[in-house]
């Protein structure tokens, strides 16, 4: 078989978590699936985090991705929103790390730039470009799933380009080694 791998892209969120999967065969991408985990109906923040973790594990156990690309939280004015988003991202990362899957974070601007060539592209522009590049027949109503898919596509485009990749972790050991100041002894 040609050099083959599966990339899981995640757009973390506590209202909607978007995700997409692509298969890379040689230098070509193939669309596998995209969807979203709807969390609006849950009021308890811990239930939401548990569901994000469980869904991520379920995706890993079903599709066996070789790598995970995740959208990094962007810095906004609302500290509470950032905290919630960071927790959602952390839980998804923990799921991947628990299965020893390498994770790479990408800033939203980096993902938009990789997919559309414009770091300030709208969600709609990103979705349309993904539709074109991957030959998607239709686009979802919510664009959180295309944002997750965009993270996977961004990772594909940035393969082997150490200078453009965000932070990567291959497991808990690597995370601890790269974040020694955060470890309480």
């Amino acid at each position: 078989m040609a050099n083959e791998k599966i990339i899981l892209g995640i757009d973390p969120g506590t209202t909607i978590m978007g995700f997409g999967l692509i298969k890379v065969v040689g230098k070509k991408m193939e669309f596998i699936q995209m969807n979203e985990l709807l969390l609006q109906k849950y009021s308890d923040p811990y239930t939401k985090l548990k569901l994000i973790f469980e869904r991520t594990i379920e995706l890993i156990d079903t599709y066996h991705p070789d790598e995970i690309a995740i959208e990094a939280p962007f810095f906004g004015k609302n500290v509470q929103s950032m905290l919630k988003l960071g927790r959602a991202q952390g839980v998804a990362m923990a799921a991947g790390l628990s299965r020893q899957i390498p994770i790479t974070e990408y800033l939203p601007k980096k993902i938009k730039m990789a997919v559309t060539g414009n770091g300030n592209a709208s969600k709609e522009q990103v979705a349309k470009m993904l539709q074109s590049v991957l030959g998607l027949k239709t686009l979802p109503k919510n664009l959180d799933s295309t944002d997750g898919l965009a993270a996977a596509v961004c990772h594909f485009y940035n393969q082997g380009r150490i200078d453009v990749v965000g932070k990567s972790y291959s497991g808990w050991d690597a995370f601890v080694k790269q974040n020694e100041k955060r470890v309480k002894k």
Side-chain angles (χ1 to χ4, degrees), residues 7-70:
I7 302 171
L8 167 60
I10 299 174
D11 176 26
T14 53
T15 307
I16 300 174
M17 176 182 96
F19 57 88
L21 288 129
I22 58 170
K23 180 181 190 175
V24 178
V25 182
K27 295 190 182 300
K28 290 195 171 128
M29 282 185 289
E30 295 173 15
F31 172 74
I32 297 176
Q33 84 124 294
M34 68 177 158
N35 210 330
E36 49 207 23
L37 173 63
L38 302 174
L39 299 160
Q40 301 97 312
K41 63 181 174 232
Y42 303 98
S43 57
D44 179 43
Y46 302 107
T47 300
K48 291 179 179 193
L49 294 176
K50 177 178 174 280
L51 292 168
I52 291 167
F53 184 86
E54 289 173 350
R55 183 64 175 126
T56 305
I57 289 289
E58 184 185 325
L59 288 166
I60 290 167
D61 291 349
T62 302
Y63 295 97
H64 308 288
D66 299 284
E67 297 169 9
I68 295 174
I70 192 162

Side-chain angles (χ1 to χ4, degrees), residues 52-181:
I52 291 167
F53 184 86
E54 289 173 350
R55 183 64 175 126
T56 305
I57 289 289
E58 184 185 325
L59 288 166
I60 290 167
D61 291 349
T62 302
Y63 295 97
H64 308 288
D66 299 284
E67 297 169 9
I68 295 174
I70 192 162
E71 187 172 305
F74 55 92
F75 297 99
K77 287 186 171 82
N78 188 330
V79 177
Q80 283 301 317
S81 295
M82 276 186 55
L83 180 63
K84 288 175 187 172
L85 199 56
R87 285 178 173 170
Q89 183 203 31
V91 169
M93 289 171 80
L97 292 169
S98 76
R99 294 289 198 260
Q100 303 299 310
I101 300 172
I103 298 168
T104 305
E105 291 179 73
Y106 293 94
L107 292 170
K109 273 188 182 292
K110 175 83 70 194
I111 293 171
K112 291 173 182 179
M113 186 71 185
V115 175
T116 69
N118 175 2
N120 296 314
S122 67
K123 280 180 173 277
E124 292 75 20
Q125 288 170 315
V126 170
K128 287 281 187 206
M129 186 59 84
L130 289 171
Q131 186 174 27
S132 170
V133 171
L134 294 169
L136 307 175
K137 288 179 177 56
T138 58
L139 288 173
K141 186 169 57 106
N142 295 329
L143 297 180
D144 298 271
S145 53
T146 50
D147 284 353
L149 186 61
V153 170
C154 171
H155 189 63
F156 166 76
Y157 286 146
N158 283 291
Q159 290 179 112
R161 293 175 61 189
I162 303 305
D163 61 319
V164 267
V165 174
K167 294 180 183 166
S168 296
Y169 307 110
S170 56
W172 285 115
D173 293 341
F175 180 83
V176 169
K177 194 178 274 183
Q178 290 179 36
N179 294 279
E180 287 177 5
K181 290 184 180 111

